[in-house]
Amino acid sequence: MAAAAVYFVPDLGKLQQRMSSREQAALPAITSPSQLDDALRQRPSDRILRMVAAAAKAANDTRGAIDRLSAQIEPSGLSKEINFGSVSRGDLDAFRRDLKAAEANATAFLPRYNAIFKAEHDQVESAALSLHVPAEIASRGLDGLTQRQAKTLNAISLTLSARADYYRTYDKYIAFLSSELGSFKIVDGQFIFPLPRTVERYNAAAQAMTSAAKRVNDLETNLKKQNQPLPEEWIQLTGVR
């Protein structure tokens, strides 16, 4: 009997793989969180559906952690609007210190984003093991997760670099105005300088800052477009596409 049990182990493994394939092909079409919830209510023991749900939660946790980290880049002082009609040079110096701190953070924060993605990967991998997801399916999902994270991390890297450049150009803009403090007036929201050459220098500094701000906005918009309500790498494994 012992010999017979050992003999049938390989066939049992193949049978389990075939059952997993049939289970995957039979999964309902899922393209939104609400459809996932409906599918889970109908099939609460389905391992793949539960894995998709676990991966979706991990992805959502990651988005929240990224938002919180991104909010830490800028010191709170940068959120204050500057009244150039009454601002002092000391106020501008303090604002410039905050800009330099923001630039330093934007330059140094990439490893912290990477750590967030590693935590997500570890969380999803642990869920796949605990749910006993077939290895061939789990590996495909985790490979897809790795690829998605690499793409997103690259986009974050570009955005952080653009933000650092923006803070540098913003600092130059403030430095210029600080050096001209007392020589200009503000009329209807416009800076009025006594010399044409000063106007040219101001326009150059303002244009550089505006261009840098636009690049940040464009990159952040593209980054947001990469966010999906459900993790694509796992949705593909439900047989929908």
Side-chain angles (χ1 to χ4, degrees), residues 26-43:
L27 287 173
I30 299 171
T31 58
S32 69
S34 61
Q35 289 177 338
L36 176 59
D37 291 340
D38 290 341
L40 279 169
R41 280 192 290 269
Q42 296 173 19
R43 302 169 64 171

Side-chain angles (χ1 to χ4, degrees), residues 71-93:
Q72 296 176 28
I73 292 178
E74 293 188 4
S76 59
L78 294 185
S79 64
K80 301 175 183 177
E81 185 175 351
I82 301 176
N83 182 352
F84 286 100
S86 60
V87 72
S88 69
R89 186 165 281 105
D91 293 333
L92 293 181
D93 288 344

